[in-house]
Amino acid sequence: MKHRITLIPGDGIGPELASSVVRIIEASGVDIEWETHYAGAQALEKFGETLPQPLLDSIIQNKVALKGPVTTPIGKGFTSVNVGLRKALDLYANLRPIRALPNVPCRYPELNLVIVRENTESLYAGLEHVVVPGVVESLKIITEKASTRIARFAFEYARREGRKKITCGHKANIMKLSDGLFLDCFRKVATEFPDIEADDKIIDNACMQLVMRPEQFDVMLLENLYGDIVSDLCAGLIGGLGLVPGANIGEKGAMFEAVHGSAPDIAGQGIANPTALLQSGILMLRYIGERESADLVENAMLKVFEEGKVRTRDIGGTAKTAEFADAIIQQMK
Ligand code: NAI
């Protein structure tokens, strides 16, 4: 089956990573027609806006996008590309699988957990105003609708992927109404999934437990701000942001992206690590039903890590981005 997918290479290291990842994905035999679009600073230069309408139309039509990192120009009036895309497509669930890779030095080589983050509400709504000079109010929005929707997403994901337990992180002891509502919705939805264990932890304790005994977590369900912070914390437990994939999923479609930025300090040198974007691509292949290709790419990638001969500079090697991609493609043959 032929798939049409929107590709946003991004800027900085984005295009170098995207070309390697596209090469690897295509070598798996999957039939994809890529529609390439600019976003962010590049799009601003060419089209006068960071999120041009043709890009949005392409994603709305194709329902799936793979996105490299994008530099959001600093200054007033620019929509953050990431936030803009999430809003335009109502990509309400952010999924971040955290799994250590063979031979990558990290604190928890056995770690394998998944973060499900609510992507549309909480303090991320950015509703702030000055009440009087010197006093600012920032609104934390939590709704029953969005909290129930994300809880159901987490339980359905856990069931589909054979996960056993979901831990909801919250601060309902202090924010009794907002986090209380998020927790209530989680508990209500949990009753529909008796096969999945439902647990909850106050977020500060959850952070300490993550650092001390992360193996007790399987799936974590978090509102937007906690999810943002805790998912980076978890990336740190397994070797850093250059390795972990991300997916933003909604009813109208899904966007798969590396969670690191455009790394201007190493852009153009061909030395960036494509693993995060590649792992996002693997999630994308599973999402579009190409499980065989996903397994093929994943196993080849894991083999290259296991052998440890071809490693990019950020994890102690000397290989260039393209050499790392070549090694994975060679493994698939
Ligand atoms: P960054 O993630 O781009 O870089 C932080 C450090 O990690 C740098 O030393 C960089 O060289 C290194 N690094 C990042 N990805 C790497 C990779 N794949 N391989 C090897 N090394 C890697 O974060 P920074 O510097 O804060 O942000 C740079 C730009 O990226 C900013 O304009 C920011 O707005 C944008 N950004 C975009 C994101 C996205 O599009 N999803 C996410 C985060 C930042």
Side-chain angles (χ1 to χ4, degrees), residues 10-313:
D11 50 52
I13 56 172
E16 304 159 40
L17 301 180
S19 67
S20 281
V21 168
V22 163
R23 245 175 357 103
I24 298 168
I25 289 177
E26 288 184 346
S28 77
V30 66
D31 192 5
I32 296 177
E33 184 186 325
W34 303 95
E35 267 182 30
T36 305
H37 283 272
Y38 294 108
Q42 282 176 324
L44 188 67
E45 223 169 79
K46 285 193 190 332
F47 305 104
E49 49 191 336
T50 51
L51 261 183
Q53 195 58 41
L55 161 62
L56 290 173
D57 292 343
S58 167
I59 304 187
I60 289 167
Q61 199 183 11
N62 297 335
K63 299 188 170 56
V64 184
L66 181 63
K67 177 184 156 296
V70 168
T71 307
T72 299
I74 297 170
K76 290 205 164 103
F78 298 123
T79 326
S80 150
V81 170
N82 299 315
V83 175
L85 284 171
R86 283 173 200 168
K87 276 200 179 139
L89 298 163
D90 194 21
L91 303 173
Y92 68 89
N94 183 280
L95 194 65
R96 237 195 249 186
I98 304 285
R99 190 186 52 168
L101 290 163
N103 265 327
V104 174
C106 72
R107 288 177 193 274
Y108 296 101
E110 303 301 323
L111 194 59
N112 182 353
L113 64 86
V114 176
I115 303 218
V116 175
R117 161 184 168 195
E118 204 290 322
N119 231 358
T120 64
E121 296 193 333
S122 175
L123 285 162
Y124 257 70
L127 298 173
E128 295 187 321
H129 63 271
V130 176
V131 182
V132 290
V135 180
V136 168
E137 192 171 45
S138 185
L139 302 177
K140 172 163 172 161
I141 307 292
I142 299 284
T143 66
E144 186 178 357
K145 188 173 167 215
S147 305
T148 302
R149 176 167 77 161
I150 194 70
R152 187 157 287 123
F153 177 94
F155 278 98
E156 281 168 359
Y157 173 85
R159 188 177 270 173
R160 197 169 57 244
E161 299 294 324
R163 300 255 170 190
K164 302 277 177 278
K165 176 167 126 180
I166 304 183
T167 305
C168 175
H170 61 86
K171 194 80 188 172
N173 53 332
I174 302 294
M175 282 166 271
K176 293 180 195 297
L177 291 182
S178 54
D179 282 22
L181 177 58
F182 191 79
L183 181 59
D184 276 352
C185 295
F186 167 72
R187 287 183 173 150
K188 254 187 220 145
V189 173
T191 60
E192 298 166 28
F193 296 83
D195 49 320
I196 314 277
E197 187 188 342
D199 176 32
D200 70 88
K201 281 202 168 28
I202 293 174
I203 192 67
D204 37 352
N205 175 35
C207 287
M208 183 194 70
Q209 299 285 341
L210 271 169
V211 173
M212 296 189 71
R213 280 199 318 115
E215 65 282 356
Q216 66 185 288
F217 297 97
D218 190 358
V219 175
M220 292 189 83
L221 173 64
L222 301 164
E223 57 92 292
N224 210 343
L225 182 63
Y226 306 150
D228 186 32
I229 298 167
V230 171
S231 54
D232 276 23
L233 184 155
C234 286
L237 299 178
I238 58 129
L241 283 181
L243 304 168
V244 292
N248 295 285
I249 299 174
E251 257 122 51
K252 293 183 216 152
M255 183 177 72
F256 298 81
E257 61 176 340
V259 290
H260 57 71
S262 53
D265 53 334
I266 56 165
Q269 300 177 37
I271 56 169
N273 186 346
T275 302
L277 190 60
L278 179 61
Q279 295 220 75
S280 308
I282 294 169
L283 289 179
M284 182 195 78
L285 288 173
R286 297 219 163 91
Y287 179 83
I288 62 173
E290 296 284 355
R291 286 197 164 250
E292 239 173 73
S293 285
D295 291 347
L296 189 65
V297 173
E298 187 170 52
N299 290 335
M301 179 195 75
L302 290 174
K303 198 92 194 39
V304 170
F305 274 104
E306 259 159 39
E307 289 181 358
K309 284 190 265 175
V310 185
R311 303 151 71 84
T312 45
R313 212 178 59 169

